[in-house]
Amino acid sequence: MPIIEMRESIGSQPVTLAIGESLAVVQKRINLKEGPHQRNMLQMDLFFDNFPVGQGVIGPEKFSGIIEFFVTPTPIILTSETIQGTPNAGPMASNQLVLFKAIVDGSVVTRFPQDFLATNANFPFFHDQLFITMVFHRANNITQEIVDYAASFYMSYSEKKVPAYRAAMGVISERFASMLAKAQTNGRSLQNVTNLAGSFIPSYNWGGIRPEFMVTANNISQFFLNIDSQASEDMLNPGQLKAFLQSSRVMVSNPGAFGKDLPVGGIPDWFSTIVPKGVIAGAVRPQFPPRVTQDNPAAAGLGNILMV
């Protein structure tokens, strides 16, 4: 498949943040070859020809904020997350639509992928366009600020033709992921971190882990099969098994499935997987039919089993 190299720039006009404004977005669209194609971003690099500086009263001064740089196949949607205390951060680098991201803080640039990985990346996308976006955030929004900047971006990607349905599904998937970006959550805060029992294994709240079948030799009201390995078991008759099987198909409350309810407790649903097939299919015969063999030496098939 062919590999295309491309160099683009952004920053021909300064950005003006008026009094009361703390956010500005600059975007550039790059049109790619039309048609059903799959492209894989292979190499990326960002270079600032002019690091962002603000025009102060007595001359250029450091931009009083932070800048996000994105390369995506769709326009970015700002989220409700924050970045260094300023609201409306862009999507995280883990988002599938983010092919490249950089954070500029003064003259310090943090990249994703980092320099080594950016020369060995393999990020697929299906849109026939790319967007270079810079998002300017600032915490101090009291005075007007004019920001001068200039950046160049290098990228190389492979391109191959794919069936139209595959390209269409890829475009739909990317647009769907773009629309979900704002509603995306990035984790949760754990409550009672020193007592997490029950948070991920609920059975801890109901008596601990039970690897054994929760039955006894006589009924299912007990937690464990508590008999000696060499001891004999009292067998249940078909009527009792059918009653237990019927109970296993009825929803019960949480402790009930572990035998808390009387007289025999709530029957867990896994019980239906271990009952004999005869209980499900019909009555169980008291014993197998007697085996009859051909014992007449004068008849053919001496010793063979006869069907009765």
Side-chain angles (χ1 to χ4, degrees), residues 29-149:
R29 173 173 171 168
I30 305 170
N31 292 321
L32 307 178
K33 183 179 179 180
E34 294 183 357
H37 294 92
Q38 175 183 333
R39 299 174 177 88
N40 290 64
M41 188 68 74
L42 302 177
Q43 296 177 326
M44 298 153 284
D45 193 19
L46 174 65
F47 178 80
F48 274 94
D49 304 273
N50 178 23
F51 270 99
V53 293
Q55 297 297 329
V57 178
I58 59 175
E61 59 185 20
K62 179 182 177 182
F63 171 62
S64 58
I66 194 166
I67 302 171
E68 294 181 285
F69 181 95
F70 296 94
V71 178
T72 58
T74 63
I76 67 169
I77 296 178
L78 300 180
T79 69
S80 56
E81 303 291 331
T82 61
I83 177 170
Q84 293 193 3
T86 60
N88 303 117
M92 300 190 70
S94 59
N95 189 291
Q96 71 178 73
L97 298 179
V98 176
L99 304 176
F100 181 86
K101 179 178 180 178
I103 295 178
V104 184
D105 188 359
S107 60
V108 178
V109 182
T110 305
R111 297 174 172 88
F112 176 85
Q114 48 98 335
D115 293 342
F116 174 75
L117 295 179
T119 60
N120 297 275
N122 190 14
F123 297 153
F125 64 99
F126 292 88
H127 273 77
D128 56 1
Q129 60 193 14
L130 285 173
F131 290 87
I132 297 180
T133 309
M134 295 185 69
V135 184
F136 295 78
H137 305 269
R138 67 170 183 176
N140 182 10
N141 57 0
I142 300 175
T143 61
Q144 179 170 321
E145 188 168 11
I146 300 176
V147 184
D148 288 325
Y149 68 97

Side-chain angles (χ1 to χ4, degrees), residues 24-294:
V25 178
V26 178
Q27 189 175 81
K28 181 177 182 179
R29 173 173 171 168
I30 305 170
N31 292 321
L32 307 178
K33 183 179 179 180
E34 294 183 357
H37 294 92
Q38 175 183 333
R39 299 174 177 88
N40 290 64
M41 188 68 74
L42 302 177
Q43 296 177 326
M44 298 153 284
D45 193 19
L46 174 65
F47 178 80
F48 274 94
D49 304 273
N50 178 23
F51 270 99
V53 293
Q55 297 297 329
V57 178
I58 59 175
E61 59 185 20
K62 179 182 177 182
F63 171 62
S64 58
I66 194 166
I67 302 171
E68 294 181 285
F69 181 95
F70 296 94
V71 178
T72 58
T74 63
I76 67 169
I77 296 178
L78 300 180
T79 69
S80 56
E81 303 291 331
T82 61
I83 177 170
Q84 293 193 3
T86 60
N88 303 117
M92 300 190 70
S94 59
N95 189 291
Q96 71 178 73
L97 298 179
V98 176
L99 304 176
F100 181 86
K101 179 178 180 178
I103 295 178
V104 184
D105 188 359
S107 60
V108 178
V109 182
T110 305
R111 297 174 172 88
F112 176 85
Q114 48 98 335
D115 293 342
F116 174 75
L117 295 179
T119 60
N120 297 275
N122 190 14
F123 297 153
F125 64 99
F126 292 88
H127 273 77
D128 56 1
Q129 60 193 14
L130 285 173
F131 290 87
I132 297 180
T133 309
M134 295 185 69
V135 184
F136 295 78
H137 305 269
R138 67 170 183 176
N140 182 10
N141 57 0
I142 300 175
T143 61
Q144 179 170 321
E145 188 168 11
I146 300 176
V147 184
D148 288 325
Y149 68 97
S152 297
F153 184 75
Y154 165 83
M155 56 187 155
S156 67
Y157 60 90
S158 62
E159 182 180 79
K160 67 176 180 180
K161 201 160 188 176
V162 295
Y165 71 87
R166 181 177 177 182
M169 293 301 295
V171 169
I172 292 174
S173 175
E174 291 171 1
R175 292 184 179 179
F176 182 73
S178 176
M179 289 185 288
L180 288 180
K182 190 168 185 178
Q184 194 174 33
T185 58
N186 299 315
R188 65 185 182 94
S189 298
L190 298 179
Q191 304 296 325
N192 300 323
V193 293
T194 59
N195 183 21
L196 295 179
S199 294
F200 58 96
I201 304 181
S203 56
Y204 276 143
N205 288 339
W206 306 101
I209 299 299
R210 300 181 176 88
E212 300 90 347
F213 284 152
M214 294 173 293
V215 295
T216 66
N218 298 319
N219 56 54
I220 312 180
S221 63
Q222 304 298 319
F223 289 159
F224 302 107
L225 186 58
N226 188 19
I227 62 174
D228 186 79
S229 60
Q230 302 297 323
S232 60
E233 296 185 39
D234 295 333
M235 304 303 293
L236 301 176
N237 60 46
Q240 291 173 309
L241 284 176
K242 289 181 180 179
F244 292 156
L245 180 61
Q246 184 177 7
S247 298
S248 71
R249 294 175 176 148
V250 178
M251 296 296 293
V252 295
S253 59
N254 195 3
F258 296 115
K260 286 285 187 181
D261 301 331
L262 296 177
V264 296
I267 311 302
D269 56 359
W270 52 255
F271 181 78
S272 61
T273 65
I274 65 171
V275 293
K277 295 299 181 182
V279 177
I280 301 175
V284 179
R285 301 183 64 173
Q287 63 180 14
F288 286 103
R291 189 176 67 169
V292 180
T293 60
Q294 175 56 270

